[in-house]
């Protein structure tokens, strides 16, 4: 997505592996478990990631180091855009290893066109 800023889009890129902590997950769900939690216990292929799952202390440390700063920056950027344009469109682009890049992008484009993602 390196070309988007050149087209005038604001981009917030997460360069961390989602197995460290997933910034697109609800922090109010359980801390660890399947891929609907902040820290995955298994990868997307169902294989265990840890012999001993990380402790709550370690997960909360990851939340403070990585999850919260990402969301603080996201809120900052959204506030700037909403002050400027009143509404903005948020597109979360991700890659799923089982789908491939093109299928993933096609899915994201369909989601944006089929739904209202204005905030």
């Amino acid at each position: 997505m390196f070309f988007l800023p050149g087209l005038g889009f604001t981009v917030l890129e997460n360069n961390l592996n989602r197995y460290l902590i997933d910034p697109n997950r609800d922090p109010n769900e359980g801390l660890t478990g399947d891929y609907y939690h902040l820290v995955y216990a298994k990868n997307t292929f169902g294989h265990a990631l840890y012999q001993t799952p990380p402790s709550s202390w370690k997960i909360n440390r990851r939340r403070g180091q990585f999850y919260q700063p990402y969301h603080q920056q996201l809120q900052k950027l959204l506030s700037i855009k909403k002050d400027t344009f009143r509404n903005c469109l948020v597109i979360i682009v991700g890659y799923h290893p089982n789908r491939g890049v093109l299928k993933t992008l096609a899915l994201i484009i369909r989601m944006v066109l089929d739904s209202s993602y204005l905030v």
Side-chain angles (χ1 to χ4, degrees):
M1 302 301 143
F2 61 91
F3 61 91
L4 292 174
L7 297 173
F9 291 91
T10 300
V11 175
L12 176 60
E13 185 175 348
N14 172 29
N15 292 313
L16 300 172
N17 189 309
R18 66 176 25 182
Y19 293 150
L20 177 66
I21 193 161
D22 191 337
N24 298 322
R25 299 294 174 243
D26 183 351
N28 297 317
E29 293 293 327
L31 292 179
T32 188
D34 57 21
Y35 49 86
Y36 296 105
H37 296 86
L38 286 177
V39 175
Y40 300 4
K42 298 178 181 180
N43 66 18
T44 52
F45 301 105
H47 304 286
L49 293 171
Y50 304 98
Q51 288 181 348
T52 303
S55 66
S56 297
W57 182 86
K58 284 184 179 180
I59 293 172
N60 284 322
R61 186 169 168 228
R62 291 180 191 183
R63 184 188 296 187
Q65 284 183 296
F66 307 112
Y67 186 93
Q68 289 172 341
Y70 175 86
H71 281 273
Q72 288 167 349
Q73 183 64 22
L74 180 59
Q75 281 302 123
K76 179 180 171 184
L77 293 172
L78 285 172
S79 293
I80 292 168
K81 292 300 177 185
K82 288 173 81 173
D83 288 346
T84 305
F85 301 107
R86 201 174 119 201
N87 289 311
C88 61
L89 178 66
V90 176
I91 302 174
I92 299 173
V93 177
Y95 169 72
H96 193 284
N98 291 339
R99 292 192 185 115
V101 174
L102 293 179
K103 286 183 180 178
T104 301
L105 289 175
L107 174 65
I108 292 165
I109 291 168
R110 271 199 318 273
M111 288 170 48
V112 170
L113 294 177
D114 292 343
S115 303
S116 173
Y117 282 83
L118 291 176
V119 293

